[in-house]
Amino acid sequence: MRKTTRQAAGATVQLARAAVLTFGTMLFLTVLLITATATLAVVGAGLLPETVTLVRRIAGAKRRQVTEWTGERIPEAYLPLDDGPLRVRLRTAVQDPGTLMDLRWMFAQYGYGSLLPILVLPLWPAALLVDGVRSGLLNRAPRVLPLITRLADLEARWSTALLQPSPRARLSERVEELTATRAGVVAAHEAELRRIEQDLQDGTQARLVALSMRLGLAKRAYERDPVAARKLLDDAQDQAEEALTELRHVVRGIHPPILTDRGLVGAVRALAASSGLDVTVDTGDLETGPRAPAGVEAAAYFTVAEALTNAAKHSGSDHASVQLARVPTGLTVTVSDEGHGGADETAGSGLLGMRRRIAALDGTVRLTSPTGGPTVIEAGLPCGW
């Protein structure tokens, strides 16, 4: 009973806030009428963009109200109104689908935003009588108080449905998102090529040059000083082995062969074993069933590798955990450590490269690293199973 009463009280507050906002929108109707009249008369056309901006702010306030009640964010998608000459801003204000959606919600809010809060008023006296007897004397579940919560839920559902961006606005936002993602992928690809080129030039190429020089010296010394020639050949063999090691390192940076040989589970376990940390690995049911696509496995592998590398270098902790999980929408990767936190994406290119790699697959990354720890990296990679 106590919990239900608190929920009903919270619902009443939510409906009261909706009523206040509704009253404010009713007053705003006067502004709309003045703007419409002035726009038709041309002399006040400059008021239209400012009025549309105010409409957006009112709709934004309602989105925040609903989000606080439901816990689910309502996205918004508008064309920018701040830039350009007045003619362009007028065209944007009129043609933006979000303007029509907001006005539709505003006029609907006049109805249900006024009606639903009024319906709450007689429910509280009824709840005190009916639920007081049912719960206090008969020890039964309340009947009237849940109706108040349902009214708040109904108001939130209607507002959510009316304030959702239009399909056209969502498509436009998606195009912008994909454009930004593509630019990030191109930048990440160029950075990766530069890194590979630098690794080959500074590492493998230098060792191959040294190997060639030693083989030439050994060839010249072979007849006159066989002992020195043998030593040069031994050095050349060491140089060849070091060059092979460098090449394997470069190849692993492109696509680790262990992913092909042992799959994501085996590759992640190998990373954990070689990280220098005490790493707990939870792979869920990934050891059985179908594997994720190669691109998804590679992104997950590099995410774990980067996260464990950062944990070993910067966290100050000896412990970390890796969790891989198969979900209906794809694959989730969670890496956490017990260090001092404070991870900063702008401090280096590793976390940024990880985010770009995952964004290329339409995935998401969330970094949580408060001062004092822990640091948690959560990545979601969409794929079909």
Side-chain angles (χ1 to χ4, degrees), residues 46-342:
L47 291 174
L48 182 59
E50 304 304 325
T51 303
V52 171
T53 300
L54 188 53
V55 171
R56 292 180 179 183
R57 291 177 180 173
I58 295 174
K62 185 60 184 179
R63 288 187 178 94
R64 289 190 293 273
Q65 275 189 11
V66 175
T67 299
E68 291 174 5
W69 176 252
T70 63
E72 297 181 3
R73 176 180 173 272
I74 304 176
E76 60 179 37
Y78 296 116
L79 297 176
L81 274 177
D82 300 332
D83 302 326
L86 177 60
R87 178 174 52 83
V88 175
R89 297 176 65 204
L90 285 172
R91 185 186 306 117
T92 302
V94 173
Q95 296 180 352
D96 185 7
T99 302
L100 180 60
M101 303 292 288
D102 288 349
L103 290 176
R104 185 185 65 173
W105 160 77
M106 186 171 288
F107 283 104
Q109 178 78 13
Y110 295 153
Y112 71 82
S114 303
L115 176 62
L116 295 180
I118 293 175
L119 294 178
V120 174
L121 299 178
L123 288 179
W124 273 106
L128 293 175
L129 179 62
V130 176
D131 292 340
V133 174
R134 285 181 58 84
S135 301
L137 299 179
L138 303 179
N139 198 24
R140 294 183 179 180
R143 286 287 183 85
V144 181
L145 286 175
L147 296 178
I148 300 175
T149 304
R150 291 175 189 172
L151 286 177
D153 291 338
L154 180 63
E155 195 273 340
R157 283 198 301 272
W158 285 349
S159 297
T160 300
L162 291 168
L163 288 171
Q164 289 286 350
S166 67
R168 177 183 168 188
R170 290 182 182 179
L171 178 60
S172 176
E173 185 180 24
R174 182 60 174 161
V175 169
E176 292 180 2
E177 179 183 346
L178 291 177
T179 301
T181 301
R182 183 182 65 180
V185 170
V186 171
H189 179 67
E190 291 179 352
E192 188 72 7
L193 288 178
R194 287 194 298 270
R195 183 191 65 80
I196 294 172
E197 179 184 7
Q198 195 70 27
D199 288 346
L200 289 174
Q201 183 176 354
D202 295 344
T204 308
Q205 178 177 296
R207 297 188 187 281
L208 289 176
V209 170
L211 172 62
S212 176
M213 292 176 60
R214 280 176 169 76
L215 288 175
L217 292 172
K219 183 178 179 181
R220 294 177 184 176
Y222 180 73
E223 293 183 355
R224 57 183 175 82
D225 192 351
V227 176
R230 181 181 294 276
K231 186 177 185 307
L232 288 170
L233 288 174
D234 290 339
D235 292 342
Q237 184 177 9
D238 293 340
Q239 290 287 339
E241 292 175 355
E242 292 175 358
L244 286 174
T245 301
E246 291 285 347
L247 281 174
R248 292 192 188 99
H249 176 74
V250 173
V251 169
R252 283 196 298 269
I254 300 172
H255 184 83
I258 193 172
L259 269 179
T260 304
D261 299 337
R262 297 172 55 184
L264 179 60
V265 172
V268 168
R269 292 191 186 280
L271 279 175
S274 61
S275 67
L277 301 173
D278 179 16
V279 183
T280 302
V281 179
D282 180 7
T283 59
D285 61 347
L286 286 178
E287 297 190 44
T288 60
R291 289 178 55 175
V296 171
E297 285 195 341
Y301 174 87
F302 285 115
T303 298
V304 175
E306 179 65 29
L308 291 180
T309 299
N310 289 342
K313 288 183 178 180
H314 309 297
S315 72
S317 172
D318 296 329
H319 304 279
S321 65
V322 177
Q323 183 178 16
L324 306 176
R326 188 198 311 268
V327 296
T329 57
L331 175 70
T332 62
V333 180
T334 305
V335 184
S336 60
D337 64 65
E338 302 173 5
H340 49 65

